[in-house]
DNA sequence: TACCGTTAGGTTGTACGCAACTGAACCGTG
DNA sequence: CACGGTTCAGTTGCGTACAACCTAACGGTA
């Protein structure tokens, strides 16, 4: 996950050193820091709603799709039960969702929105705007980033485990 | 952090729905999933070295810069002492680094490589190649991603807290 | 020199994220 | 029907992340 040396390094913005393990060459480091820091920008926006960023993502999934099993949440958010179980439990304690075993498959647990959970959506609609404003990126830059991330998301799915 | 509706949505790859909170519009979600999953690809490559990805980043910083104080590590990796203190402690237990208080400022702790830590660098040089091979992305795609991430990293630094 | 605000690193508590495991429910086959 | 493999949630343990707090050391000023 390294930017390899190029014949014309002048074409690149951050001039890479000769060191193949230099931090500024590590795309994964940039990815990790960007992700951490942007999620950090969500914190002040989400705190008034009583949500963490992963909890916000679960709420987004539920607002979009209605009731979802833990398995479906895991597929949508790319998280396993070890992460989702306690997370959903906290959302339950917050009164935003309810859990009940599925009728037709007792193994499955369906997570559904409470009225409070549904009501929270209206306040959440301001969150993305607030974060973008804080970050100060243009729509074009966001779309460019999104477009650059899509191949990665696709690649990870087919990566050799 | 949402891809806004556009007059010509055909120009975008993943056709966005009308829902402004739809998951596939959330750039931050794509960023978080990409970061998590790519770090996951490092796991099997780093496990033989006895390193986690954050520990690997600390080692990269030390291989590049030599001895560093915890503060400098925090600045380079964008991590605070609450994360770095136990992390460096684990590297110390692994025998890869040593800690000693700075001579000229007793508050500061300098983290240095042990011979074992220096020796590990050679084995680490194969890691990026291995991850890129696993991921199956081209150099061009990596560079595109890196270029798209740089404005975000710059933006976060100047973001309104 | 004594004081006080600042800085560096560490600790505590909470919340992910994931590997590994557990137990219950499901399901195909004999 | 019985049984063995599979699937689904949940739990445990470990390693980040980060806020909040603590202590020691520093450094300028009266």
């Amino acid at each position: 996950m390294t930017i390899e040396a190029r014949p014309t390094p002048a074409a690149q913005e951050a001039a890479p050193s000769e060191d193949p393990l230099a931090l500024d060459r590590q795309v994964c480091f940039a990815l990790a820091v960007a992700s951490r820091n942007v999620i950090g920008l969500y914190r002040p926006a989400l705190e008034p709603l009583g949500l963490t960023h992963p909890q916000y993502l679960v709420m987004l999934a539920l607002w979009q799709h209605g009731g979802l099993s833990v398995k479906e949440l895991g597929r949508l958010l790319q998280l396993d039960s070890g992460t989702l179980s306690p997370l959903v439990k906290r959302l339950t304690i917050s009164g935003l969702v309810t859990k009940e075993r599925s009728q037709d498959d007792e193994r499955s647990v369906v997570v559904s929105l409470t009225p409070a959970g549904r009501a929270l959506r209206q306040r959440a609609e301001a969150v993305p705007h607030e974060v973008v404003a804080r970050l100060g990126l243009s729509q074009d830059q966001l779309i460019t980033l999104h477009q650059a991330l899509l191949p990665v998301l696709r690649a990870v799915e087919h990566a050799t485990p």
Side-chain angles (χ1 to χ4, degrees), chain A:
Chain A
M1 198 73 178
T2 314
I3 297 291
E4 295 295 338
R6 275 305 180 89
T8 59
Q12 282 165 240
E13 186 155 351
S17 62
E18 349 43 60
D19 182 356
L21 291 186
L23 265 183
D24 59 4
R25 284 234 205 134
Q26 304 297 319
V27 181
C28 190
F29 170 58
L31 192 54
V33 171
S35 175
R36 264 196 286 118
N37 288 351
V38 171
I39 288 175
L41 287 182
Y42 274 81
R43 221 177 304 275
L46 290 175
E47 201 216 321
L49 311 190
L51 293 175
T52 64
H53 189 257
Q55 290 168 8
Y56 169 70
L57 294 180
V58 168
M59 296 303 287
L60 288 182
L62 292 174
W63 286 325
Q64 184 173 5
H65 295 102
L68 289 171
S69 69
V70 174
K71 175 186 168 65
E72 290 164 328
L73 276 173
R75 188 181 50 78
L76 285 170
L77 305 180
Q78 308 260 301
L79 292 170
D80 73 351
S81 68
T83 301
L84 281 175
S85 279
L87 195 159
V88 169
K89 186 176 181 179
R90 283 185 279 273
L91 287 177
T92 305
I93 293 172
S94 300
L96 298 175
V97 307
T98 56
K99 288 191 300 183
E100 54 179 344
R101 300 221 90 99
S102 167
Q103 302 293 344
D104 47 320
D105 187 345
E106 288 279 332
R107 293 170 302 177
S108 182
V109 169
V110 176
V111 182
S112 306
L113 292 164
T114 63
R118 246 184 303 276
L120 194 64
R121 187 196 150 103
Q122 198 197 336
R123 295 173 63 196
E125 280 172 6
V127 169
H129 305 285
E130 189 177 338
V131 173
V132 172
R134 248 187 248 275
L135 193 54
L137 281 187
S138 69
Q139 271 296 308
D140 280 349
Q141 285 173 310
L142 279 186
I143 292 179
T144 299
L145 174 61
H146 200 225
Q147 294 297 312
L149 287 171
L150 291 178
V152 180
L153 297 177
R154 238 178 286 114
V156 170
E157 296 210 36
H158 310 107
T160 57

